[in-house]
Amino acid sequence: ETGVTQTPRHLVMGMTNKKSLKCEQHLGHNAMYWYKQSAKKPLELMFVYNFKEQTENNSVPSRFSPECPNSSHLFLHLHTLQPEDSALYLCASSQGLAGPYEQYFGPGTRLTVT
Amino acid sequence: AQSVAQPEDQVNVAEGNPLTVKCTYSVSGNPYLFWYVQYPNRGLQFLLKYITGDNLVKGSYGFEAEFNKSQTSFHLKKPSALVSDSALYFCAVRGGFQKLVFGTGTRLLVSP
C-alpha cells in the first residue's frame, strides 16, 4: 500500500479536540477522495478534489473540513466531533474523475470519538 | 440514477470449491464496472474492471468476473477458493462521466 498512504492509522479523540487526518498519493493521480466507512453501512463519499479543486461535498457536516494543497496531498481537519463520527476514514485517488479509472485506496484511519 | 446491488450479505464456500459473488447494476449508457476487496482494518484493494470488449475479465489473485449486458450483472468468480480469500468484496459501477457508486459489500468466508 505504498501508493496511497494515510496517517495516523488510529486516532482517539474527545469531542472537543481538533485533529487532522493526512493522505498522500504517490501515483501521479489528479483526483482525490475522502470516504467514511461505518459498520453495517454503505461506503459514504464525503469529498472529491480534482486538480486540487473541490468538486463534490456530499452534505458533510462542517465539523469536517477538507484541504487539498496540491494533487498529491489531502487533509481532513476534524473539530467538535460526535460519537457517531467514529468510523474508518478512507482516502483514495484516481487518474481521472470519470470514465474507466479505478480508485486506489489508502489503509484508512480508524477514528474513535469519545 | 446509477445503482449497484450485491444481493448476498455473506457467501460461504469450502476451500478448493469454486466461488461466485454476485453483483447487478443499473446505469445509463455503457457501464464501467469494478471489483474491490477489503481485508480487516485495511483499505479497499482494486481487483479488476470491465471497460469494453471481452465479457470475461481476469484480475488479481486468480479472480475473474463475467459481464452480462442482458442480465446487467458482473459476478465475481474464482475456480478454486482459498482460505486467504476470506474478506469483504465490493462491486462498483460508473456510467460514463457519472460518479463511482459502490455496493454494500459481500462477506466471503472460505472454510478449510
Side-chain angles (χ1 to χ4, degrees):
Chain A
E1 294 170 327
T2 55
V4 181
T5 58
Q6 289 186 244
T7 54
R9 293 292 307 273
H10 300 272
L11 178 62
V12 179
M13 60 186 288
M15 293 167 60
T16 58
N17 290 159
K18 288 186 180 181
K19 295 286 184 183
S20 295
L21 310 185
K22 179 183 176 182
C23 174
E24 183 174 1
Q25 59 97 358
H26 310 270
L27 300 168
H29 289 166
N30 300 312
M32 296 189 78
Y33 312 78
W34 279 117
Y35 286 89
K36 177 183 178 182
Q37 187 178 32
S38 304
K40 309 211 184 278
K41 283 184 157 184
L43 204 60
E44 298 175 50
L45 179 62
M46 300 174 72
F47 302 104
V48 181
Y49 279 81
N50 194 35
F51 290 100
K52 72 178 185 176
E53 298 296 323
Q54 188 177 127
T55 59
E56 196 161 337
N57 175 341
N58 284 308
S59 304
V60 179
S62 59
R63 57 185 184 270
F64 294 91
S65 174
E67 178 190 0
C68 188
N70 54 60
S71 293
S72 298
H73 294 86
L74 187 63
F75 296 88
L76 188 62
H77 303 300
L78 316 171
H79 65 98
T80 58
L81 294 191
Q82 304 299 311
E84 60 265 28
D85 297 323
S86 298
L88 183 67
Y89 288 85
L90 294 166
C91 174
S93 71
S94 63
Q95 188 173 342
L97 277 185
Y101 301 117
E102 63 272 21
Q103 294 179 13
Y104 290 86
F105 286 78
T109 295
R110 174 70 62 187
L111 173 67
T112 303
V113 181
T114 60
Chain B
Q2 305 179 119
S3 65
V4 59
Q6 293 183 242
E8 303 154 316
D9 287 339
Q10 182 163 313
V11 170
N12 298 303
V13 65
E15 187 173 33
N17 284 358
L19 70 87
T20 298
V21 182
K22 296 179 180 177
C23 172
T24 58
Y25 67 90
S26 174
V27 70
S28 300
N30 293 323
Y32 301 112
L33 293 151
F34 307 82
W35 275 103
Y36 290 82
V37 60
Q38 185 178 30
Y39 297 99
N41 298 313
R42 305 288 289 275
L44 278 67
Q45 187 175 334
F46 170 70
L47 276 179
L48 52 81
K49 66 180 176 184
Y50 171 81
I51 303 174
T52 186
D54 195 349
N55 289 344
L56 187 64
V57 179
K58 293 189 183 297
S60 307
Y61 313 119
F63 283 94
E64 57 190 27
E66 186 170 11
F67 171 64
N68 187 315
K69 188 173 183 177
S70 62
Q71 297 186 5
T72 61
S73 67
F74 189 56
H75 300 333
L76 183 69
K77 300 182 179 185
K78 189 174 182 182
S80 178
L82 299 172
V83 172
S84 57
D85 292 330
S86 297
L88 190 56
Y89 290 81
F90 291 93
C91 181
V93 66
R94 175 192 287 130
F97 290 91
Q98 300 182 66
K99 66 181 179 182
L100 191 64
V101 175
F102 286 86
T104 51
T106 297
R107 188 162 303 280
L108 173 67
L109 187 58
V110 182
S111 54

